[in-house]
Amino acid sequence: MTRIESAIVGLAGLALVSACERSSRPADELLALTSAARLAQLELRIPELMDSAGVTGLSIAVTTDSGVVWSRGFGVADSADKPVSETSVFEAASLSKPVFAHAVLQLVDQGLIDLDTPIADFYEYEDIAHDERHRQLTPRMVLTHSPGFPNWRPRGGQLTINFDPGSEFSYSGEGFVYLQRAVMALMGEPLDQLARRLVFDPFGMTSSSYLWQESFDNVVALPHRSDGETLRKNKPRAGTGNAAASLHTTAPDYARFVLAVMNGARLSDSTAAAMLRPQIVVDSGVTWGLGIGLQDNAYGSGFWHWGDNSGYKAYVIAYPEHGVGVVWFTNSENGQSILESMLSLTVGGEHPAAAWLDYEQYDSPTRAVREELAQAIEDDGVESALSLYQDMKIALNVAEYPDASNPYDSLGEAHLAAGDTARAIENYQRSVELDPDNTNGAAVLERLRGR
């Protein structure tokens, strides 16, 4: 089969099968993540999924409200093909934020911080002193991503407040850095020491830190580009760490934190409830609590967060009402391309949070087109790639509009040009069935059958 024939047939099938698979789970499917059958399925399917998507390594842990029940490592950690294990250390990226938020909420319960007292009352931050609105910013606004900051300021640029504080959601790492500085100044304690005292040690997170530890050298999963090449590992040794992004941890360690959040550990009942109560609307079915994302679906309310650093991607989802949660880390730029498939394999159901994130999935037709065209350019040149692109457009139209006559007519023409008479007849016949007035298709079909 030629490249064009393969692309036409394979791409159309990919689009249709993917759509079918993603809608096959009933909305009321019971959570069965901890069942022996589901865990056995994960052992088999995760490596297959990683291979299909080009994900280098992955570590996963499952917890119930009584403890971590399962954890595994898959793939490789470095260029020497050292295997990923459940003790492999990954960058948690933005999964750093809920851990810091939990520490802040403990300080709230201790009466040391008030969620609605302006931060400027106890800490002056020169980076935003130019905007008088900074005096309105509160810890609650930071934890709900509504202080008006961008995610990150331009390199070398000024930090700005882009809308009235508290008026809308806008995800911001800068906000967490601001609150981190204020808390450190108030407590006279560096971030990692604070987190160790309030979170890591109490919850048994023995392999977690906001700063690089020498013990990580032999267990770190190194970051990888989308093509599998190893990236340089950032090791935050100096300074205080970054509450928004520098946490290093293992999947079982983070699962212990998830367990603590589900059980409201070390928080008063009212504060634990407030952490998981919608504070601000993000999107349809998606809200934000105090430091963590929330979503509603057929299972009820769940909390979630994602991580996205260079060469590291992560995700956590848990349902306190059902007492089950899962977290996974990857050391690959392709890590979020398996997000929807991993959610389907683990907890199942529909996920408005994943829809809001809108990561391109490894099996998306768009991605398949891009990769196929890139390979065609490399193998056969631009002219061949342009011809392939035109045929791919036809195949995608058939997948997108299965009840329309014209795409089948065009696909029949493409198969005919590729020399595949049988598939040409099949598609012309479908076109005529959908549109009996397609006289041209009928004439071609009659001529082909006459052969």
Side-chain angles (χ1 to χ4, degrees):
M1 185 179 289
T2 68
R3 180 188 293 277
I4 290 178
E5 290 177 286
S6 178
I8 293 171
V9 177
L11 189 56
L14 177 63
L16 291 170
V17 169
S18 297
C20 178
E21 286 181 347
R22 289 178 185 161
S23 63
S24 63
R25 289 188 180 274
D28 60 350
E29 178 189 5
L30 293 177
L31 288 171
L33 176 55
T34 59
S35 69
R38 181 71 63 82
L39 296 178
Q41 182 187 43
L42 293 180
E43 294 267 12
L44 294 174
R45 293 293 304 279
I46 289 177
E48 296 172 356
L49 184 61
M50 292 169 61
D51 184 62
S52 296
V55 173
T56 315
L58 181 148
S59 185
I60 183 173
V62 173
T63 186
T64 66
D65 52 10
S66 59
V68 180
V69 296
W70 182 80
S71 60
R72 292 290 187 277
F74 302 92
V76 297
D78 55 31
S79 57
D81 291 340
K82 180 180 177 180
V84 170
S85 73
E86 59 191 79
T87 62
S88 295
V89 168
F90 290 75
E91 285 186 26
S94 286
L95 265 62
S96 306
K97 295 180 176 74
V99 172
F100 174 66
H102 199 282
V104 169
L105 292 177
Q106 291 186 52
L107 299 178
V108 170
D109 275 344
Q110 294 171 26
L112 299 172
I113 292 177
D114 184 272
L115 285 175
D116 298 308
T117 295
I119 300 171
D121 285 4
F122 61 92
Y123 179 72
E124 288 291 337
Y125 191 34
E126 293 183 359
D127 293 33
I128 53 173
H130 60 277
D131 191 323
E132 191 61 25
R133 291 178 297 176
H134 82 275
R135 299 197 174 278
Q136 304 173 30
L137 303 181
T138 66
R140 187 186 302 274
M141 291 177 188
V142 169
L143 295 181
T144 58
H145 295 280
S146 60
F149 293 151
N151 189 14
W152 300 108
R153 74 190 79 182
R155 185 179 296 275
Q158 187 179 59
L159 178 59
T160 57
I161 299 176
N162 298 327
F163 53 82
D164 289 341
S167 63
E168 60 184 273
F169 177 91
S170 182
Y171 190 79
S172 175
E174 290 282 1
F176 273 72
V177 171
Y178 174 34
L179 184 57
Q180 170 193 340
R181 290 172 180 265
V183 169
M184 287 167 49
L186 178 68
M187 300 300 296
E189 193 173 15
L191 170 65
D192 197 62
Q193 181 176 314
L194 179 77
R196 190 160 304 284
R197 178 170 64 86
L198 297 179
V199 180
F200 300 152
D201 287 347
F203 299 153
M205 300 170 67
T206 57
S207 299
S208 299
S209 176
Y210 281 97
L211 295 175
W212 186 258
Q213 306 295 316
E214 289 185 6
S215 59
F216 293 166
D217 285 329
N218 295 323
V219 292
V220 64
L222 295 178
H224 291 77
R225 298 187 323 198
S226 58
D227 63 2
E229 290 297 314
T230 305
L231 291 164
R232 185 181 71 85
K233 176 70 183 77
N234 177 43
K235 299 180 178 181
R237 301 176 187 274
T240 58
N242 186 315
S246 76
L247 176 64
H248 285 68
T249 189
T250 66
D253 259 20
Y254 206 90
R256 295 182 185 100
F257 173 69
V258 173
L259 167 64
V261 175
M262 287 198 297
N263 290 338
R266 292 182 63 84
L267 296 177
S268 67
D269 290 345
S270 59
T271 301
M275 184 179 188
L276 302 182
R277 181 186 305 127
Q279 306 279 329
I280 192 167
V281 174
V282 178
D283 199 21
S284 177
V286 183
T287 56
W288 219 263
L290 294 174
I292 199 159
L294 308 174
Q295 73 168 19
D296 292 319
N297 62 11
Y299 301 140
S301 296
F303 66 83
W304 67 279
H305 213 291
W306 86 110
D308 192 336
N309 279 3
S310 178
Y312 291 101
K313 314 298 173 188
Y315 202 81
V316 61
I317 177 75
Y319 292 92
E321 181 182 351
H322 298 277
V324 65
V326 59
V327 59
W328 62 84
F329 297 100
T330 73
N331 61 337
S332 168
E333 271 298 302
N334 297 327
Q336 296 295 13
S337 75
I338 60 173
L339 172 58
E340 293 179 14
S341 295
M342 284 294 293
L343 288 170
S344 179
L345 284 175
T346 54
V347 293
E350 300 296 323
H351 292 267
W356 174 68
L357 289 173
D358 196 26
Y359 280 103
E360 183 181 65
Q361 297 302 286
Y362 80 96
D363 58 353
S364 75
T366 302
R367 180 171 179 151
V369 166
R370 188 171 61 251
E371 292 178 351
E372 187 72 25
L373 290 175
Q375 191 63 50
I377 291 173
E378 182 178 336
D379 293 346
D380 305 314
V382 174
E383 290 300 322
S384 175
L386 288 174
S387 175
L388 176 61
Y389 171 68
Q390 294 301 322
D391 289 303
M392 282 180 163
K393 283 177 63 178
I394 296 170
L396 285 172
N397 281 336
V398 169
E400 189 73 19
Y401 306 104
D403 296 324
S405 170
N406 189 61
Y408 286 98
D409 188 279
S410 298
L411 188 56
E413 183 179 356
H415 279 304
L416 184 58
D420 191 336
T421 303
R423 286 198 176 94
I425 290 174
E426 178 184 333
N427 282 278
Y428 274 118
Q429 180 173 318
R430 180 60 177 155
S431 174
V432 173
E433 289 173 353
L434 290 168
D435 179 14
D437 294 330
N438 181 7
T439 55
N440 178 70
V444 175
L445 185 60
E446 184 177 352
R447 186 171 69 253
L448 292 176
R449 285 172 171 165
R451 291 183 181 179

